[in-house]
């Protein structure tokens, strides 16, 4: 009789069915999936009974280093506690963005010493003249390339001019990787914010009013037309508005390879949160009107949105509080890796809005497929034994002070959630036992992108 390193029992969420069963794990990989009747022997047996064993969440949108006080250790511990087994770290680091191989390789080394879950790394390019780094970064293992049509910071997070976007897309197409964009119309937003500031309209909702939906939809439209002519695989990050998804559907029908994500706050909050929570509810693009949020949910239910991400931005109070009297002075973004998976479970599976299989697709399988991450994203033989175990009946209350991230501020503080992460397993090893992170920094591995040269 074959013996496994680990046997995991529970309600196993496979690619197209859920079974009360057991998974045999060997050398960190799923070796067999069997019904309860089968006799499986393991050095270690974890019986989760009626809890769901999901494929570990893959969060494609995390910013470990936009706040230098954060970094891999707190964010990856927070991710482990949130059921995330792999995340893709964004390239807009302080002080230097990940726009050349030297900086990229340094980040890989740091990751291998500090991570507690597995991590892929995004690459980016300098505002101008940076495209010659695209092929080398792809060969060094970048998972995809992130660019922006909105200027958050001229050096770290620049608006890339159209001629450079075009050159970049042609080169990224050759790598087979995906070109992803923060898509907002810079000129209109900058102009509107100037007008609002001059009129002293700096109340929290002014953040929403100065970024109307067309600032997102018009930016996305341009990028999809560029993708049509270059053939590049395009990904639109943090979609906030249902019309953006309507437009994406149109271009998909024309053969453009475009995928999209939304982030959990766009589904779970609306613009009224800016009045309630002020700068804590400020993100880019902004939270939308309730009917627009309902439109995004329709797209989720129809399967038109490929995946959900956190856009974890680990700001401290010192970055948010300047916005208390003038919303434009607050940093944009909020933390999310620790609460996204349970919050999304609460809003979907627990409410009967999505099946566990649909949930597994938007949280794990599609992220792995969209970004071609080998061996990750589903519970199937040969795949990494990466699991997020959720007790579907357990109720708990979000407490921002308990976050493993240094960013201890969320508009979800005090919210009751149905569905609790009771264990997170990466490559067959428990990284979070429901109470504590159980591995040391350095357990997590760098996962190279699909164009990496070995
Ligand atoms: Zn982001």
């Amino acid at each position: 009789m074959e013996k496994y390193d680990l046997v995991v029992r529970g309600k196993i969420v496979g690619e197209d069915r859920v079974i009360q069963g057991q998974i045999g794990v060997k050398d960190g990989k799923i070796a067999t999936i069997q019904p309860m009747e089968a006799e499986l022997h393991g050095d270690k047996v974890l019986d989760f009974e009626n809890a769901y064993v999901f494929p570990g969440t893959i969060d494609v949108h995390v910013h470990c280093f936009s706040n230098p006080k954060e970094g891999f250790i707190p964010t990856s511990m927070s991710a482990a506690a949130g059921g995330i087994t792999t995340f893709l770290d964004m390239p807009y680091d302080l002080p230097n963005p990940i726009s050349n191989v030297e900086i990229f390789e340094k980040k890989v080394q740091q990751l291998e010493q500090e991570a507690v879950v597995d991590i892929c790394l995004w690459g980016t390019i300098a505002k101008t003249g940076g495209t010659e780094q695209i092929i080398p970064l792809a060969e060094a293992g970048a998972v995809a390339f992130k660019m922006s049509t909105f200027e958050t910071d001229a050096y770290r997070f620049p608006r890339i001019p159209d001629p450079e976007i075009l050159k970049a897309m042609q080169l990224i197409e050759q790598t087979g990787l995906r070109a992803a964009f923060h898509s907002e119309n810079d000129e209109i937003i900058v102009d509107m914010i100037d007008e609002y500031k001059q009129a002293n309209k700096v109340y929290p909702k002014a953040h929403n009013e100065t970024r109307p939906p067309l600032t997102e939809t018009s930016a996305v439209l341009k990028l999809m037309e560029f993708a049509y002519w270059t053939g590049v695989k395009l990904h639109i990050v943090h979609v906030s508005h249902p019309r953006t998804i309507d437009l994406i559907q149109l271009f998909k029908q024309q053969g453009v390879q475009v995928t999209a994500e939304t982030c959990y706050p766009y589904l779970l909050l609306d613009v009224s949160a800016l009045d309630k929570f002020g700068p804590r509810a400020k993100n880019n693009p902004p939270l939308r009107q309730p009917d627009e949020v309902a439109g995004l949910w329709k797209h989720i239910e129809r399967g038109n949105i490929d995946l959900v991400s956190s856009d974890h931005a680990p700001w401290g109070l010192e970055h948010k509080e300047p916005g208390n009297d003038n919303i434009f002075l607050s940093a944009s973004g909020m933390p999310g890796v620790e609460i996204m998976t349970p919050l999304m479970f609460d809003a979907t599976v627990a409410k009967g809005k999505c099946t566990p299989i649909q949930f597994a697709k938007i949280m794990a399988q599609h992220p792995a497929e969209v970004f071609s991450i080998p061996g990750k994203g589903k519970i199937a033989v040969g795949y990494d034994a990466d699991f997020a175990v959720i007790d579907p009946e357990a109720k708990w209350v979000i407490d921002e002070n308990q976050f493993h991230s240094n960013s201890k501020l969320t508009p979800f503080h005090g919210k009751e959630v149905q569905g609790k992460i009771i264990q997170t397993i990466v490559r067959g090893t428990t990284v979070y036992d429901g109470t504590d992170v159980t591995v040391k920094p350095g357990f997590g591995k760098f996962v190279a992108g699909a164009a990496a040269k070995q």
Side-chain angles (χ1 to χ4, degrees):
M1 165 111 16
E2 189 160 16
K3 203 164 175 208
Y4 298 96
D5 302 332
L6 170 69
V7 171
V8 175
R9 298 189 180 129
K11 274 203 182 81
I12 294 160
V13 184
E15 198 176 350
D16 41 35
R17 62 196 182 117
V18 181
I19 60 159
Q20 192 74 42
Q22 41 190 348
I23 302 169
V25 175
K26 207 156 196 176
D27 300 325
K29 290 188 189 301
I30 297 168
T32 188
I33 303 166
Q34 298 289 336
M36 287 304 283
E37 301 80 66
E39 231 184 284
L40 289 195
H41 295 276
D43 291 336
K44 191 176 172 188
V45 176
L46 293 169
D47 192 346
F48 297 112
E49 298 172 1
N50 285 319
Y52 286 110
V53 180
F54 283 105
T57 296
I58 299 179
D59 186 352
V60 308
H61 195 153
V62 173
H63 298 266
C64 284
F65 291 94
S66 48
N67 176 3
K69 282 191 198 153
E70 179 80 355
F72 285 128
I73 295 176
T75 294
S76 68
M77 287 174 73
S78 198
I84 292 168
T85 51
T86 303
F87 67 79
L88 281 55
D89 198 56
M90 282 291 171
Y92 297 126
D93 297 3
L94 264 172
N96 295 308
I98 309 304
S99 57
N100 68 50
V101 171
E102 197 191 336
I103 298 174
F104 184 89
E105 284 174 347
K106 253 195 211 144
K107 193 172 179 181
V108 172
Q109 281 173 13
Q110 188 178 355
L111 183 168
E112 284 175 334
Q113 283 160 18
E114 297 184 346
V116 305
V117 300
D118 288 352
I119 302 177
C120 305
L121 297 179
W122 287 86
T124 189
I125 54 169
K127 186 177 172 99
T128 53
T131 52
E132 81 275 3
Q133 285 293 318
I134 285 173
I135 303 287
L137 278 167
E139 290 177 350
V143 72
F145 291 88
K146 171 85 178 281
M147 287 163 277
S148 183
T149 61
F150 178 81
E151 187 136 299
T152 300
D153 181 282
Y155 172 64
R156 186 177 67 88
F157 198 151
R159 168 192 180 181
I160 306 291
D162 282 356
E164 298 289 318
I165 290 179
L166 183 57
K167 273 185 228 160
M169 282 186 171
Q170 287 162 340
L171 287 163
I172 295 167
E173 193 275 331
Q174 290 175 28
T175 69
L177 300 178
R178 225 164 248 280
F181 287 84
H182 174 128
S183 318
E184 289 187 296
N185 183 309
D186 190 277
E187 281 172 274
I188 296 175
I189 292 169
V190 168
D191 191 64
M192 286 189 82
I193 290 176
D194 279 349
E195 273 178 32
Y196 265 62
K197 279 182 180 162
Q198 274 169 30
N200 201 31
K201 290 157 74 175
V202 295
Y203 47 84
K205 263 189 190 159
H207 178 61
N208 164 284
E209 292 165 12
T210 53
R211 298 173 115 93
L214 78 85
T215 58
E216 174 174 297
T217 55
S218 60
V220 171
L221 205 49
K222 174 184 82 178
L223 294 166
M224 291 195 295
E225 190 59 14
F226 280 30
Y228 174 85
W229 289 104
T230 58
V232 76
K233 288 193 242 169
L234 177 66
H235 180 74
I236 306 299
V237 303
H238 53 49
V239 171
S240 69
H241 199 280
R243 178 159 172 81
T244 305
I245 303 296
D246 293 337
L247 295 171
I248 287 172
Q249 294 300 107
L250 285 177
F251 275 76
K252 270 184 180 169
Q253 284 162 23
Q254 300 198 348
V256 174
Q257 300 185 75
V258 51
T259 50
E261 81 197 33
T262 188
C263 308
Y264 76 100
Y266 301 114
L267 293 166
L268 305 179
L269 297 172
D270 64 50
V271 64
S272 67
L274 274 165
D275 282 338
K276 251 190 245 166
F277 306 108
R280 286 172 186 231
K282 182 186 178 188
N283 55 353
N284 290 342
L287 299 172
R288 299 296 182 189
Q289 300 297 334
D291 62 317
E292 296 167 325
V293 174
L296 267 188
W297 270 112
K298 279 214 178 88
H299 282 305
I300 284 277
E301 286 163 34
R302 290 174 190 157
N304 296 340
I305 297 175
D306 298 275
L307 60 107
V308 176
S309 72
S310 72
D311 199 359
H312 178 86
W315 301 119
L317 275 175
E318 69 272 28
H319 305 100
K320 285 291 192 183
E321 275 177 342
N324 285 345
D325 301 315
N326 176 347
I327 193 66
F328 297 115
L329 298 179
S330 160
S332 292
M334 45 185 106
V337 287
E338 196 152 341
I339 52 176
M340 171 178 70
T341 302
L343 275 170
M344 285 303 300
F345 181 89
D346 173 81
T348 58
V349 182
K351 302 261 188 310
K353 227 174 188 166
C354 292
T355 65
I357 290 168
Q358 282 174 305
F359 181 81
K361 286 200 186 340
I362 57 173
M363 305 305 288
Q365 187 179 335
H366 292 167
E369 288 170 358
V370 165
F371 291 97
S372 305
I373 305 166
K376 302 276 190 196
K378 57 186 173 189
I379 297 182
V381 171
Y383 279 70
D384 284 359
D386 294 351
F387 310 125
V389 186
I390 299 183
D391 178 344
E393 303 302 332
K395 290 188 175 147
W396 60 289
V397 175
I398 292 178
D399 178 358
E400 60 195 6
N401 303 305
Q402 302 293 319
F403 288 172
H404 291 78
S405 168
N406 286 319
S407 180
K408 299 187 193 304
L409 43 97
T410 173
F412 296 96
H413 179 64
K415 185 183 160 54
E416 192 186 68
V417 179
Q418 184 181 338
K420 195 174 188 309
I421 307 289
I422 56 169
Q423 190 134 161
T424 306
I425 295 171
V426 175
R427 288 176 276 107
T429 297
T430 297
V431 297
Y432 174 71
D433 64 6
T435 312
D436 295 307
V437 174
T438 51
V439 292
K440 295 254 172 316
F443 171 80
K445 280 197 170 141
F446 169 62
V447 181
K453 258 200 179 151
Q454 290 314 322

